[in-house]
Amino acid sequence: MRNLACNVAGIPFKNPIVMASGTFGFGQEYAKLYDINKLGGISCKGLTLHPRKGNPGTRVWETAGGMLNSVGLENPGIDAFLEEEMKFWETIEPVKIANLGGSNIEEYVLGALKITKDAEERRRQNQRAVDMIELNISCPNVKEGGMAFGVKTAVAREVIREVRQVTSLPLAVKLSPNAENIVDMAVMCEDEGAECVSLVNTFSGMKIDIYQRRSVFHNMYAGLSGPSIKPVALRMVHQVAQQVTIPVMGMGGIASASDVIEFIMAGAEVVQVGTYNFMNLRAGEELLAGIRSFMELENIQSLDEIRGIIQ
Ligand SMILES: Cc1cc2nc3c(=O)[nH]c(=O)nc-3n(C[C@H](O)[C@H](O)[C@H](O)COP(=O)(O)O)c2cc1C
């Protein structure tokens, strides 16, 4: 047996495959297709304090080697998540990551508080609960004219500092590749007490309908993900992993077991798989089988033997 076990902030993952926020819902639909208990973890669809309907108009567009999305954080809100979706999450084994967004600092703080209190209560009752918060700082900051929190390090620092104070749960900060300096951003997260950084979120992109002479998206720009972003995402994960001591969850365009291995060699503790879930409905299961056969072929006993070997 090969050892695929990983550890982020003291939380054991049975393997490095974590499903990325917004591409796996809460896992219930995929559970009909394969045994999702095989997965290392699941990051849920981005949650906000209040329910959100998401963006009007076109929401997704296929691109060469990827997709653009402008879903706009459609979600049932934290209360509904805790009341409804947690019933399913209580029954499954993968590490449970609550992805949290907000339009201002208060929303992030109140959201983190609710998730934390619920997790503490469930743990007291020996129930499964959220294991970790993943802070999505790519949300537009309403007070700053809509610029994402994760672009400027000083703005992101405020959010992380405030959330850090109200949660006992391990905190992962999900970095935007649109940050002015993603390495500075990651170092700041570690300084502020985050236990982990996850990267990358989607790249800001655009698609124009040349006949209608307008962007296909209501909000003009949309987030690019999928295989086309992988080389850039991998470079960013490598740069960040060199500069922080906290674990890195690496993602961006993973669509094969060899992609997973590249991210681990670049220094990621675990990886997240996003768009590939739309391309291959059994992505998780197939990636795991591929990692195992690579380890056998290369006679690797544990992922620790190859993690971060690219210096
Ligand atoms: C349709 C869609 C919805 C997404 N929703 C969220 C979200 O709610 N919160 C978040 O942090 N990231 C969200 N993401 C970003 C992904 O989690 C991931 O960071 C990104 O897509 C890059 O990985 P990939 O190339 O493997 O998809 C979303 C991505 C897609 C494609």
Side-chain angles (χ1 to χ4, degrees), residues 270-300:
V270 298
V271 299
Q272 292 195 14
V273 179
T275 303
Y276 188 46
N277 284 304
F278 302 135
M279 297 153 64
N280 176 353
L281 296 178
R282 299 172 76 125
E285 196 171 54
E286 289 183 19
L287 290 173
L288 282 167
I291 297 169
R292 285 204 178 88
S293 58
F294 173 80
M295 289 173 80
E296 264 155 45
L297 201 67
E298 293 288 306
N299 197 21
I300 297 163

Side-chain angles (χ1 to χ4, degrees), residues 59-131:
R59 287 184 165 192
V60 291
W61 196 274
E62 189 171 344
T63 62
M67 65 185 277
L68 284 160
N69 94 80
S70 178
V71 172
L73 284 192
E74 176 178 349
N75 80 97
I78 289 170
D79 288 338
F81 163 72
L82 296 174
E83 275 156 41
E84 297 304 320
E85 309 298 340
M86 273 310 296
K87 286 183 196 150
F88 174 65
W89 269 23
E90 266 176 27
T91 67
I92 59 169
E93 293 167 16
V95 172
K96 295 158 192 63
I97 304 173
N99 181 282
L100 175 64
S103 1
N104 54 52
I105 295 186
E106 296 71 41
E107 267 185 40
Y108 277 105
V109 169
L110 291 174
L113 254 176
K114 280 193 180 212
I115 294 168
T116 306
K117 281 194 179 146
D118 178 89
E120 287 174 349
E121 186 51 36
R122 281 176 208 271
R123 290 238 151 68
R124 263 195 290 279
Q125 297 178 15
N126 278 328
Q127 290 170 352
R128 290 198 180 105
V130 165
D131 294 293

Side-chain angles (χ1 to χ4, degrees), residues 20-279:
S21 178
T23 63
F24 205 72
F26 300 96
Q28 219 155 349
E29 292 78 14
Y30 286 91
K32 293 177 190 142
L33 303 172
Y34 67 99
D35 179 10
I36 64 167
N37 283 326
K38 289 180 180 170
L39 299 171
I42 299 175
S43 178
C44 72
K45 173 64 197 164
L47 300 166
T48 48
L49 189 60
H50 307 293
R52 284 206 197 175
K53 288 204 174 93
N55 290 334
T58 301
R59 287 184 165 192
V60 291
W61 196 274
E62 189 171 344
T63 62
M67 65 185 277
L68 284 160
N69 94 80
S70 178
V71 172
L73 284 192
E74 176 178 349
N75 80 97
I78 289 170
D79 288 338
F81 163 72
L82 296 174
E83 275 156 41
E84 297 304 320
E85 309 298 340
M86 273 310 296
K87 286 183 196 150
F88 174 65
W89 269 23
E90 266 176 27
T91 67
I92 59 169
E93 293 167 16
V95 172
K96 295 158 192 63
I97 304 173
N99 181 282
L100 175 64
S103 1
N104 54 52
I105 295 186
E106 296 71 41
E107 267 185 40
Y108 277 105
V109 169
L110 291 174
L113 254 176
K114 280 193 180 212
I115 294 168
T116 306
K117 281 194 179 146
D118 178 89
E120 287 174 349
E121 186 51 36
R122 281 176 208 271
R123 290 238 151 68
R124 263 195 290 279
Q125 297 178 15
N126 278 328
Q127 290 170 352
R128 290 198 180 105
V130 165
D131 294 293
M132 189 186 292
I133 292 178
E134 181 180 57
L135 212 55
N136 174 9
I137 56 171
S138 297
C139 303
N141 180 351
V142 170
K143 284 186 191 146
E144 295 290 332
M147 184 196 277
F149 290 93
V151 173
K152 291 190 182 292
T153 308
V155 176
R157 186 190 291 274
E158 270 185 74
V159 185
I160 295 156
R161 190 169 283 177
E162 299 274 333
V163 170
R164 178 69 291 176
Q165 281 172 15
V166 300
T167 183
S168 55
L169 290 169
L171 187 63
V173 181
K174 182 159 177 185
L175 307 183
S176 168
N178 309 311
E180 280 181 345
N181 184 326
I182 200 160
V183 175
D184 283 356
M185 191 67 88
V187 170
M188 176 277 289
C189 293
E190 178 163 24
D191 288 347
E192 292 298 331
E195 278 87 356
C196 172
V197 282
S198 54
L199 65 146
V200 295
N201 212 316
T202 54
F203 288 76
S204 180
M206 189 178 191
K207 167 69 191 171
I208 293 172
D209 180 332
I210 57 170
Y211 299 104
Q212 302 220 35
R213 303 181 179 193
R214 59 171 180 79
S215 166
V216 301
F217 296 108
H218 182 260
N219 286 352
M220 188 71 76
Y221 306 132
L224 181 66
S225 62
S228 55
I229 70 169
K230 200 206 84 183
V232 190
L234 184 65
R235 184 264 295 170
M236 289 178 165
V237 165
H238 183 254
Q239 285 179 321
V240 164
Q242 303 277 308
Q243 297 301 325
V244 295
T245 60
I246 51 177
V248 173
M249 293 200 251
M251 80 195 92
I254 289 174
S256 68
S258 61
D259 290 342
V260 175
I261 300 294
E262 282 189 71
F263 274 89
I264 291 175
M265 287 186 172
E269 177 69 26
V270 298
V271 299
Q272 292 195 14
V273 179
T275 303
Y276 188 46
N277 284 304
F278 302 135
M279 297 153 64

